[in-house]
Structure formats: structure tokens, C-alpha cells
Amino acid sequence: MHKQDFDVIIIGGGLAGLASAIHLAKYNIEVLIIEKNSYPKHKVCGEYVSNEVLPYLKHLGLNPFSFGAKVISKFELTTHNNKKIQANLPLGGFGMSRYAMDFQLYKLAVSNGVEVLQDSVIDVDFEQDIFKVEAKSNGTFHSKIVIGAFGKRANLDVKFNRKFIKNKSPYLGVKLHVSGVFPEDKVALHNFKGGYCGVSKVENDHINLCYITDFKAFKKYKDIESFQEEVVFKNSALKEIFNNSEIQFENPLTISQISFETKKPIESHIIMCGDSAGMIHPLCGNGMGMAIRSAQLASELIIDYLQGKIESREKLEKYYAKRWQQTFRFRLKIGHTIAYLFRQNWLAPKLLIMLRWFPFLVPLIIKMTHGKPMKAQ
């Protein structure tokens, strides 16, 4: 029989959910994570992480380089007509698969006393200052706080009547791991008509290839292979990587209905973290960093609330919403703008020429979509 009452219930055990759970558990807060999938599991993700998160990960007890993460210091961008620009990353980053990173954080969470339940949440109600969380197979749980860390899109978004879920999103994401030749210290973004692909090394010497495309453009072709041959491979850098690599997945992973619309960081008194609170365009390559940073924001405020330093739930929600906006609103806006400009096929090559003329702009733009190193408290 499972314990039914917790201080905090976290719905979703990805980066944001796991990081929050570990942080809270270090303060002797009783935490339950409800995650529908088992660990380890691959996810559609660019798998490049900004070094801004390293001090916080160290504080939680995770050193990514102990598990084969690759040090990344260089950036490359190409357009669909094969124009190229290169730059050094201002802060740098690392490459690590979600398969490895989530699994290591999961083990760390369990070792810190977090209870992890594999199940699906089908309902959440809030009455008399207590949450009632209903799991599909394990009944009802109660908590003082609920964190929503269930990712880009979930059935709970429909239940909460969230605005973004009512609109169809035109984006499709595809990811696979391959083995082949690619520099360990580089992350590349290769533009093609209707989308772009991120390329970087992760542990096991695998190369992560993850691209996002307009679903309407994709539907014109009978399958992924045809689309890649006819559209993606018009970018010669991508053609070379795909054709000279050995696929490590049985089938590519795909995810549809990816939405970059504005979301609320608080919904029905639930504190939203990671992709549940908002997504930056993959073109900016820092979604994993944002998820981890949002976990820290939420955890610090929840600790203050449970310790009585924040005297009301209303203030807790207000403080989190304000800090979330202060931390992410500008980088999300810049991300939307950059993605919009690079979706204009006629404009992307011209932008690249401009960046070649003014190379100092590249690190400046990267800084706008990334944060400063996180302070671990």
C-alpha cells in the first residue's frame, strides 16, 4: 500500500520534475513524482545543455561528465542553400542524452528519499487548500503543493482548459542517434526549407540528430525517409552526416503538435515547470537549461512557503509567476523572433551574410537566449 499524503506531488519525471524533487528532498520535504514512463527512456530533444546549469546540477549531486557528457564550446549554423557561419559559444555547454540524464537524476532522486510512481495522472482537484491527485492505477493522493512538469502537451492541459491546447500546432519533431564522424566540441544548427536540425555529440560517442519541421510540408511525402531525401538533404551538411552515419535507433522518435504559444506558469494553483510552463524554440538550443532553471525557481519558493517564510498560497503563486516572467520572458521573445526570421527561406541566407559581416552579433544573440550561471543556494 502506497503512502497517500505528501508535502509536494510532482506530475512528470523529466528534467524539471526530477530536479525539483531532488532539491525539495534535500530540505526533508516529502515528495512524490508520478511519471507515466519507466526509466531510462529516449525523448525527442536536442540534448545540448548550456553550462549555466552546471553549478546547480553540482549542488543537486550530478556531474554530467561522470557519465560521458561531451564538452561543447563551438557553434555552427548553415542555411538551406549551404551558407555557413561559425562562432565560439560564450558560456559553452555539454551534450548528454535524455536517456542518460533523466536516468541519473531519477536514481539521485530515489537516493534522496523521493518516491517515484509509474502511473498516469487523470485528474487534479484543489479544495480547502489541499490538492487531490488521482492516478489511473494507484488511486488518490493528497498534497499541499502540486508541480506540473508533464511536458509539452498532456491530457491535463485539456482538463485545465489551457489556451494553447485549443489550437493545432504545425510542428513535428524527429530525433535519432547515429554513430559517425562529428566534432565532440561542436553543436550545429542546419537549416532546411520548413525546418532546422540540431546536431551534437552525446555519451557513448553517439551523435544526436533532432529536427523540427512544419507538419504540412512533411505531409507531402509518404514517409520520413522520403522527406529527408527530398527536403532535409538539400542542406549538404545534413546529407553528409545522415549518409555517412550508422543509425542506432530501430526507428526515429517523433512528436507532433509541438506548441510554442504562451503558457501560464500557474494554472489552477499548480506550479508549472519546464515545457509545461513554456517552450523556447529548439533553434535557440536551450530548452533543457530552461527546464532545470525553472525547477530551481519553483523549489526555492516552495521551500520558503512550507517553512512559513511566504505566508500565503496567493503570494507563493504571485512570486513564482513574477520570477518566471523575469527569468524567461525576454529569452522566449528573442527565441520566437529568431525562429520566425529563419523560417523565411528568402531571408535566412541574407541574415547569415549580415552575421558574417558583424560576427560579434552571434555570441550576443546566443547570450540573449541563455542565462548566466545559476547560483546554487
Side-chain angles (χ1 to χ4, degrees), residues 330-345:
F330 178 70
R331 66 166 91 176
L332 284 172
K333 191 174 180 181
I334 294 295
H336 278 289
T337 304
I338 293 168
Y340 172 78
L341 293 173
F342 272 91
R343 279 201 305 273
Q344 316 308 311
N345 290 322

Side-chain angles (χ1 to χ4, degrees), residues 8-21 32-37 39 43 98 102 121 124 146-154 156-157 160 162 263-265 267 270-278 291-292 294-295 298-299 320:
V8 179
I9 292 175
I10 301 174
I11 306 169
L15 291 179
L18 290 164
S20 294
L32 169 68
I33 291 176
I34 305 177
E35 163 60 41
K36 63 182 179 180
N37 297 307
Y39 298 94
K43 294 182 179 179
R98 292 294 301 277
D102 289 24
V121 173
V124 182
V146 168
I147 295 175
F150 40 79
K152 301 171 180 66
R153 201 175 186 88
L156 288 175
D157 291 316
F160 302 139
R162 301 184 83 188
K263 301 175 184 178
K264 292 180 182 175
E267 199 75 66
I270 295 171
I271 293 172
M272 297 294 181
C273 281
D275 289 346
S276 298
I292 294 165
S294 71
S299 300
Y320 180 69

Side-chain angles (χ1 to χ4, degrees), residues 34-232:
I34 305 177
E35 163 60 41
K36 63 182 179 180
N37 297 307
S38 60
Y39 298 94
K41 180 179 170 60
H42 284 290
K43 294 182 179 179
V44 177
C45 181
E47 299 183 339
Y48 160 81
V49 197
S50 164
N51 279 343
E52 67 185 87
V53 305
L54 285 177
Y56 182 58
L57 289 179
K58 184 181 177 184
H59 170 69
L60 296 181
L62 179 74
N63 176 9
F65 305 106
S66 296
F67 304 99
K70 304 296 184 184
V71 177
I72 297 174
S73 59
K74 294 173 183 174
F75 170 73
E76 179 180 271
L77 175 69
T78 67
T79 60
H80 66 281
N81 65 344
N82 301 307
K83 303 292 183 190
K84 181 168 75 173
I85 191 166
Q86 294 180 311
N88 290 325
L89 290 166
L91 193 59
F94 61 93
M96 186 175 185
S97 74
R98 292 294 301 277
Y99 185 90
M101 195 166 179
D102 289 24
F103 188 41
Q104 296 305 327
L105 285 171
Y106 157 72
K107 290 196 286 187
L108 200 52
V110 171
S111 71
N112 276 276
V114 175
E115 187 160 341
V116 182
L117 181 67
Q118 188 182 347
D119 204 343
S120 296
V121 173
I122 54 175
D123 203 3
V124 182
D125 283 314
F126 180 73
E127 288 178 18
Q128 298 179 323
D129 214 35
I130 292 292
F131 286 97
K132 187 169 73 174
V133 179
E134 188 181 346
K136 189 175 182 179
S137 304
N138 287 274
T140 303
F141 299 87
H142 302 93
S143 67
K144 299 167 190 170
I145 299 284
V146 168
I147 295 175
F150 40 79
K152 301 171 180 66
R153 201 175 186 88
N155 290 336
L156 288 175
D157 291 316
V158 179
K159 177 192 161 40
F160 302 139
N161 201 27
R162 301 184 83 188
K163 189 178 175 184
F164 82 92
I165 204 78
K166 299 171 188 173
N167 304 322
K168 275 203 165 186
S169 177
Y171 299 109
L172 169 79
V174 179
K175 169 194 156 168
L176 62 158
H177 280 184
V178 301
S179 56
V181 178
F182 189 80
E184 283 191 2
D185 61 351
K186 182 165 76 175
V187 60
L189 275 170
H190 298 304
N191 188 236
F192 55 85
K193 285 192 176 180
Y196 39 85
C197 180
V199 186
S200 58
K201 276 271 186 86
V202 294
E203 76 286 347
N204 298 327
D205 223 28
H206 287 175
I207 304 165
N208 180 40
L209 299 170
C210 189
Y211 64 82
I212 188 166
T213 184
D214 185 282
F215 190 63
K216 280 184 183 175
F218 176 79
K219 276 204 307 187
K220 294 175 185 174
Y221 302 88
K222 61 181 181 182
D223 52 33
I224 286 174
E225 288 75 20
S226 302
F227 174 73
Q228 288 176 177
E229 197 66 46
E230 297 296 326
V231 180
V232 177

